[in-house]
Amino acid sequence: MKPLFENLQPGPESSFIVRSFDLEQFTVPFHFHPEFELTLILKGSGKRYVGNNMSDFKEKDLVLIGPDLPHCWKSEKEDGVKSVVVHFIRDFLGNDFFEKPELSNILNILKRSASGILFTGQTAENAVTKMQLLSAEENPFRKMLRLLDIMEDLAASSEYQLLDRVGTVAQLPHVSKERMNVALGYIVDNFRQGIILNEVAAEVNMSPNAFCKYFKKATDKTFMETVIEYRINFAMQQLLSTEKPVAEIAMESGFGDVSHFYKLFKRLIKISPLQYRKDFQKGI
């Protein structure tokens, strides 16, 4: 339920970590760590959670995540997933390494990663081979050069989008950041089922009333408004990517009452769920 703090330690032969995963499905829960993370999905599909953002992911999904930004990938099926994941701290090559003028572009992209960055188009396409070569490289020096080469490609690209544009978690002080990560982790794991305020308040060691005030002050939204946003976002994706009836999507998105779902959807999206699906299909 909680976003786990992941303790990452590179081996004695390297100052950063490169790992390849070949699994039945992604099982790592919502988690965070002080390292930057660059993840490339080579196989699989499902939902990607980065901070307050929830999106679909598929092959060639390439994301750079900043320190302490909670995240996870959740598979839709147990038909196999593959990924290459890189972890490094900002000063893994020395305190002032990225302050050098030749590396200013990389420094800028590292700063923007506080919101999570999804790279697309040719940038993601080109990264596939380079990330695989990085993963297979055994020479520590050449491995470092391969990573810097990839980071320079990303820094020079305009094919990207920020995921958690609000950046709520990134802007919080450290203690409050951990508390918010716990609350968001609870939402990620439970928004399609029952949400119990007393449970999430207990997870952050606060009374329900104090937690509601804290969440509202930190995000400018109530806790339940945020839960509803996750549910509506999930429903929107299901409306576009499946042929399921609206009533079934409403229930799968965590709404116990279909008429309530219609009412909330129309209030937030300005059109009905059916019209939203029809408009998308008409555009195609």
Side-chain angles (χ1 to χ4, degrees):
M1 186 175 297
K2 293 182 179 180
L4 302 180
F5 174 82
E6 187 175 11
N7 185 24
L8 299 162
Q9 295 292 334
E13 76 289 346
S14 180
S15 55
F16 60 98
I17 303 171
V18 182
R19 293 183 291 181
S20 295
F21 296 93
D22 188 349
L23 309 165
E24 286 298 314
Q25 64 179 144
F26 292 124
T27 57
V28 176
F30 206 51
H31 66 286
F32 65 101
H33 40 69
E35 291 82 7
F36 291 91
E37 176 177 313
L38 180 62
T39 292
L40 171 68
I41 305 299
L42 294 171
K43 178 184 177 183
S45 62
K47 300 292 180 188
R48 178 192 351 96
Y49 300 85
V50 176
N52 286 323
N53 177 271
M54 174 179 65
S55 306
D56 291 325
F57 78 85
K58 56 184 179 180
E59 293 178 8
K60 300 177 184 177
D61 189 77
L62 179 64
V63 175
L64 179 63
I65 294 170
D68 295 329
L69 182 62
H71 57 280
C72 70
W73 279 255
K74 290 187 177 290
S75 310
E76 290 180 344
K77 303 174 184 177
E78 293 186 14
D79 55 358
V81 292
K82 293 182 180 180
S83 64
V84 178
V85 183
V86 182
H87 291 105
F88 58 92
I89 59 174
R90 177 165 170 164
D91 60 353
F92 79 103
L93 294 175
N95 291 335
D96 301 322
F97 184 78
F98 288 110
E99 303 292 336
K100 302 295 187 291
E102 295 85 356
L103 298 166
S104 59
N105 287 340
I106 295 180
L107 180 60
N108 287 334
I109 206 74
L110 291 178
K111 290 177 179 177
R112 288 197 291 273
S113 71
S115 295
I117 305 173
L118 170 66
F119 294 93
T120 59
Q122 197 60 45
T123 302
E125 189 79 34
N126 294 341
V128 172
T129 300
K130 289 191 175 186
M131 288 285 283
Q132 290 176 314
L133 289 172
L134 171 66
S135 175
E137 182 61 67
E138 296 183 358
N139 181 279
F141 179 73
R142 284 196 289 269
K143 178 171 283 193
M144 178 190 68
L145 294 181
R146 288 190 185 279
L147 175 58
L148 291 176
D149 181 50
I150 292 169
M151 292 303 299
E152 177 60 21
D153 286 349
L154 301 184
S157 173
S158 59
E159 298 178 305
Y160 71 86
Q161 65 185 71
L162 300 182
L163 296 175
D164 183 7
R165 289 182 175 274
V166 178
T168 301
V169 176
Q171 297 170 20
L172 294 172
H174 185 71
V175 174
S176 188
K177 185 182 297 184
E178 291 189 8
R179 182 176 288 163
M180 182 57 65
N181 284 343
V182 171
L184 292 176
Y186 181 92
I187 295 174
V188 166
D189 284 343
N190 294 280
F191 75 89
R192 296 177 62 189
Q193 303 151 17
I195 291 287
I196 302 173
L197 179 60
N198 286 353
E199 284 187 0
V200 65
E203 290 294 326
V204 297
N205 298 315
M206 300 177 76
S207 70
N209 187 49
F211 169 72
C212 287
K213 290 180 179 178
Y214 155 77
F215 197 92
K216 172 71 173 177
K217 184 177 180 180
T219 67
D220 202 31
K221 298 175 185 175
T222 68
F223 177 68
M224 284 312 300
E225 283 174 341
T226 302
V227 172
I228 289 170
E229 284 186 357
Y230 270 82
R231 288 173 172 169
I232 293 293
N233 192 357
F234 183 84
M236 290 168 67
Q237 294 174 20
Q238 293 296 294
L239 286 166
L240 302 186
S241 61
T242 75
E243 297 297 325
K244 294 177 182 178
V246 173
E248 183 179 344
I249 290 175
M251 301 303 288
E252 288 185 355
S253 301
F255 294 96
D257 182 86
V258 177
S259 61
H260 184 56
F261 165 68
Y262 267 90
K263 182 179 178 181
L264 286 173
F265 193 97
K266 196 165 185 178
R267 189 176 77 194
L268 294 173
I269 312 304
K270 309 306 179 186
I271 56 176
S272 70
L274 277 176
Q275 192 61 49
Y276 180 78
R277 173 180 272 171
K278 288 178 181 178
D279 288 351
F280 175 77
Q281 293 172 342
K282 195 180 300 181
I284 292 177

